[in-house]
Amino acid sequence: MSADVIALIDRLAKTRSLTLEEWTAAVSGFSPAAAEYAAQIALSERRKVYGNDVYIRGLIEISNICKNDCLYCGIRHSNRKCERYRLQKAEILACCKEGYALGFRTFVLQGGEDPYYTDDVLCDIISEIKATFSDCAVTLGMGERSFESYKRLFDAGADRYLLRHETADEAHYRKLHPADMSFKARMECLDFLRDIGYQVGCGMMVGSPYQTEKHLARDLKFIETFSPDMCGIGPFIPHADTPFRDFPAGSAALTCYLLSLIRIQKPNILLPSTTALGTVDPNGREKGLLAGANVVMPNLSPAGVRGKYLLYDNKICTGDEAAECVRCMARRVENVGFQIVQNRGDIKNTKEQN
Ligand code: SAH
């Protein structure tokens, strides 16, 4: 392992900031030894803020109907083979009820950009969840909407919003999305969310088609400057019914290295160890936790629709009931020395603000 990358990681731990050139060198410097070094620092940083606690989020995949045609995504509009579904309010509330009994205090409503979920429809669902489970947080991952729409959902009680930026490089963004989607619109949405007062999450896929080390460095620099409360990163995984079917999946080891760098850059960030990481490597989620992640998102979607929310091939946990998913996750978390805690799992403020 080169002395340069060690020096960069040490500097990152001290100043919480690197130049774009330095981020590029840090990404290029990836090796198993560099990853091990970064992981040790990341773990000690996360222990200072979160101890051994792991936060859980109950993921409810509310619809796989989507008007967008992202080239990487299995539920893209033009995938005729995708069997579509949409959950009604009563079904979503039933998932929350089951999740609450299992100890969840955050519900994540994620889905395609399905025009059925107007502001009225979503506000009604959110306010009912908040009224019924008043000690819970609601996170939304429903894609791009207007400022006014985000504001209404926030006023109805939504606490957090996940909107991965996907890539911080505009030319790369164009290679991953059709012409009617824009990098500027995506970035503008992130600013709206932040301005309204949400806890905001961005993030990217690792190893997406045409991605270079320079692109990843830009992602890291963007994360540093935007300073999100949450950051979702997972490997790209091809889906057979998309234009990217023949591209290779991203690497679990590189994903873990980037998780460590993000943790070191922002010690209090909420960092999930994702399902995609657990799909490319059977122990991926454990490895993510050992690299500095502190959040897991077991699936709470009704068993009947799980096998239909397929963003990529071979997705794990599509056959289990929610209760089994939670038990399995608790075991995995404990096996690597952490424990699941039963609370909302908000970001902890540290004196050292980024
Ligand atoms: N419509 C919502 C939710 C999208 S799905 C939104 O736009 O935010 C959540 C995330 O899954 C996406 O942001 C993307 O980063 C990831 N994803 C989609 N297809 C993927 C694939 N083939 N491999 C890995 N991750 C994928």
Side-chain angles (χ1 to χ4, degrees):
M1 165 171 54
S2 85
D4 294 1
V5 77
I6 296 284
L8 278 174
I9 295 168
D10 286 343
R11 177 120 59 85
L12 181 63
K14 221 162 134 191
T15 65
R16 313 292 178 202
S17 172
L18 296 178
T19 64
L20 182 59
E21 289 66 37
E22 289 169 334
W23 276 120
T24 309
V27 174
S28 317
F30 166 71
S31 67
E36 178 58 33
Y37 186 77
Q40 290 321 310
I41 299 181
L43 271 184
S44 91
E45 295 289 354
R46 76 89 81 200
R47 285 214 168 91
K48 279 186 234 161
V49 186
Y50 294 104
N52 286 328
D53 291 355
V54 168
Y55 295 153
I56 50 170
R57 320 299 195 195
L59 178 63
I60 308 172
E61 297 155 332
I62 68 172
S63 172
N64 70 355
I65 297 173
C66 193
K67 66 180 171 60
N68 290 335
D69 224 11
C70 307
L71 277 77
Y72 44 84
C73 186
I75 64 168
R76 65 200 300 267
H77 180 75
S78 54
N79 180 10
R80 298 278 169 261
K81 290 199 189 155
C82 174
E83 205 185 310
R84 307 286 170 172
Y85 75 89
R86 160 190 300 145
L87 300 184
Q88 300 297 321
K89 177 182 170 187
E91 296 172 287
I92 297 170
L93 278 150
C95 291
C96 295
K97 189 174 174 201
E98 184 178 13
Y100 193 89
L102 290 168
F104 289 97
R105 295 296 178 267
T106 289
F107 302 113
V108 181
L109 274 44
Q110 193 193 84
E113 289 193 21
D114 177 350
Y116 167 81
Y117 296 100
T118 58
D119 295 344
D120 285 344
V121 169
L122 267 183
C123 285
D124 180 42
I125 295 170
I126 294 163
S127 45
E128 182 126 355
I129 295 175
K130 294 290 288 193
T132 317
F133 310 99
S134 56
D135 55 343
C136 292
V138 169
T139 304
L140 301 175
M142 303 286 301
E144 297 176 24
R145 304 175 78 96
S146 68
F147 181 92
E148 291 69 30
S149 170
Y150 286 145
K151 178 81 170 74
R152 283 195 60 195
L153 305 178
F154 183 76
D155 290 341
D159 302 273
R160 312 189 185 118
Y161 206 105
L162 300 172
L163 188 76
R164 291 189 178 182
H165 64 284
E166 312 296 0
T167 170
D169 182 275
E170 185 160 10
H172 186 221
Y173 191 93
R174 276 198 294 272
K175 292 190 175 157
L176 302 179
H177 299 95
D180 65 349
M181 291 181 73
S182 91
F183 175 73
K184 286 204 174 63
R186 194 106 186 146
M187 289 297 180
E188 193 179 44
C189 284
L190 284 168
D191 289 334
F192 291 163
L193 293 163
R194 162 66 55 76
D195 291 347
I196 290 167
Y198 283 95
Q199 293 178 40
V200 186
C202 65
M204 70 283 183
M205 292 176 285
V206 177
S208 60
Y210 313 108
Q211 186 181 63
T212 63
E213 288 171 350
K214 189 77 190 277
H215 294 146
L216 284 172
R218 274 188 195 283
D219 289 321
L220 293 166
K221 189 69 196 172
F222 171 69
I223 293 163
E224 180 196 316
T225 48
F226 184 69
S227 193
D229 304 286
M230 312 169 277
C231 185
I233 79 166
F236 160 77
I237 305 171
H239 185 293
D241 303 311
T242 64
F244 288 163
R245 64 181 66 86
D246 294 326
F247 282 88
S251 129
L254 179 58
T255 303
C256 289
Y257 178 58
L258 298 175
L259 284 169
S260 297
L261 295 181
I262 294 167
R263 168 67 60 204
I264 298 169
Q265 194 277 313
K266 181 164 170 134
N268 65 337
I269 196 167
L270 297 167
L271 208 52
S273 195
T274 56
T275 307
L277 186 53
T279 297
V280 292
D281 179 328
N283 293 315
R285 283 167 304 174
E286 290 89 329
K287 290 178 184 172
L289 292 172
L290 290 170
N294 67 326
V295 173
V296 291
M297 300 170 68
N299 201 321
L300 266 188
S301 306
V305 307
R306 287 221 189 167
K308 297 180 186 165
Y309 195 83
L310 299 179
L311 309 178
Y312 44 79
D313 289 336
N314 307 314
K315 186 180 169 205
I316 54 169
C317 311
T318 53
D320 303 343
E321 295 290 338
E324 292 171 59
C325 246
V326 173
R327 266 195 302 277
C328 159
M329 190 67 86
R331 209 170 46 238
R332 287 171 182 273
V333 166
E334 281 159 27
N335 279 343
V336 286
F338 300 103
Q339 85 236 356
I340 285 178
V341 290
Q342 185 172 312
N343 62 28
R344 283 172 44 121
D346 288 300
I347 189 167
K348 284 202 180 169
N349 284 317
T350 50
K351 263 182 273 149
E352 180 188 23
Q353 286 289 345
N354 284 292

